Amino acid sequence: MALFNVTHPASFLLTGIPGLESLHPWLAGPLCVMYAVALGANTVILQAVRVEPILHAPMYYFLSMLSFSDVAMSMATLPTVLRTFCFDARSIAFDVCLVQMFLIHSFSMMESGILLAMSFDRYVAICDPLHYATVLTNEFIAGMGLAVTARSFITLFPLPFLIKRLPICRSNVLSHSYCLHPDMMKLACADITINSIYGLFVLVSTFGMDLLFIFLSYVLILRSVMAIASHEERLKALNTCVSHILAVLAFYVPMIGVSTVHRFGKHAPRYIHVLMSNVYLFVPPVLNPLIYSAKTKEIRRAIFRMFRHIKL
């Protein structure tokens, strides 16, 4: 217990978008729309996969996992973001902030792992289609889902304790409308080397490795597709990957943008950093269900059937 016998503020103060405080009431509307789309569209996909037999296939099981992580991510940020922008209620208790930090980072890592699992699904479907049904069994898919979840929670479990051991005495004002590990550790008036090293280790060993394996899977997919003689068959095979590729871009491009701005844009206005971080957290949950609904006819048909039955 002596390890955590350090000075902590009773609460943190969250921040909207610095320099644009007068626009917060106007930004609240678009944020509410984004949350409504993210929660509503992902819930519809979850329900469609649950009730439509045509969607009881590996690809759609992984999609339902992706939708679940997007719903969870939205729910983790929604309370503080809307309180900050709608009611200017900026205070959040220290321990509540730790919980939110843990959940945001965990569900973000979970989404990265699910995107990797989906790339494996596309690899097997295109490069080894004869063994697709025997490799991607329900038990294997459930095991991958549990592994992704366990990796996220186990890897990030130390973060709240790494923050709790630090004395927070420089300030209690955070840079965002939600709690993140890098933001909280910068407020410490002590050596944060361990936090920085562990944060970098987590970033490289999880997100970095996931992106590397996704890239390698598509190198193998392209090599297999180029070996197909028919131009039409090549396009058909690649078309099955378009939704996943767009989802990967929607997740990793904002993440890389945030990292680039933080590393090389130190003199950029603070609102640029905050806007980039908000794009990274808010855009993928909105875009993912729209991408899959627009590009996958089975999803569209299942949703239409589901709503038709509801009307009847």
Side-chain angles (χ1 to χ4, degrees), residues 18-213:
L20 300 178
E21 287 83 2
S22 62
L23 297 178
H24 283 181
W26 297 98
L27 294 173
L31 282 172
C32 288
V33 171
M34 291 178 69
Y35 274 118
V37 171
L39 294 173
N42 282 294
T43 301
V44 167
I45 286 183
L46 283 168
Q47 181 67 2
V49 173
R50 187 181 74 86
V51 302
E52 292 292 333
I54 194 175
L55 300 184
H56 293 174
M59 177 175 138
Y60 303 112
Y61 290 145
F62 287 127
L63 176 58
S64 66
M65 294 180 194
L66 187 66
S67 292
F68 173 79
S69 69
D70 283 337
V71 168
M73 173 67 80
S74 297
M75 292 299 294
T77 59
L78 183 147
T80 56
V81 171
L82 292 189
R83 284 176 67 244
T84 301
F85 282 89
C86 296
F87 308 109
D88 196 32
R90 300 171 53 203
S91 179
I92 180 172
F94 178 82
D95 289 332
V96 175
C97 195
L98 288 179
V99 172
Q100 186 186 51
M101 174 201 71
F102 174 75
L103 292 176
I104 289 175
H105 289 299
S106 295
F107 290 125
S108 180
M109 185 184 294
M110 192 182 300
E111 181 155 345
S112 177
I114 294 167
L115 289 171
L116 174 59
M118 296 174 84
S119 73
F120 178 72
D121 169 81
R122 292 299 84 207
Y123 165 77
V124 177
I126 293 174
C127 299
D128 195 11
L130 295 179
H131 294 95
Y132 183 79
T134 57
V135 172
L136 288 163
T137 61
N138 289 343
E139 291 78 12
F140 183 81
I141 294 168
M144 291 186 75
L146 288 173
V148 167
T149 304
R151 182 190 72 163
S152 301
F153 282 84
I154 292 172
T155 304
L156 295 170
F157 184 74
L159 281 190
F161 300 100
L162 289 176
I163 289 293
K164 205 156 189 175
R165 72 183 182 85
L166 295 173
I168 308 293
C169 51
R170 288 182 178 174
S171 170
N172 71 329
V173 180
L174 298 174
S175 302
H176 302 86
S177 51
Y178 42 82
C179 302
L180 296 176
H181 175 252
D183 202 15
M184 296 174 71
M185 73 178 185
K186 289 177 183 177
L187 301 180
C189 48
D191 186 8
I192 59 172
T193 302
I194 294 177
N195 292 65
S196 298
I197 291 175
Y198 190 75
L200 181 62
F201 164 75
V202 169
L203 188 66
V204 173
S205 64
T206 55
F207 294 97
M209 294 304 295
D210 288 350
L211 184 58
L212 174 62
F213 284 123

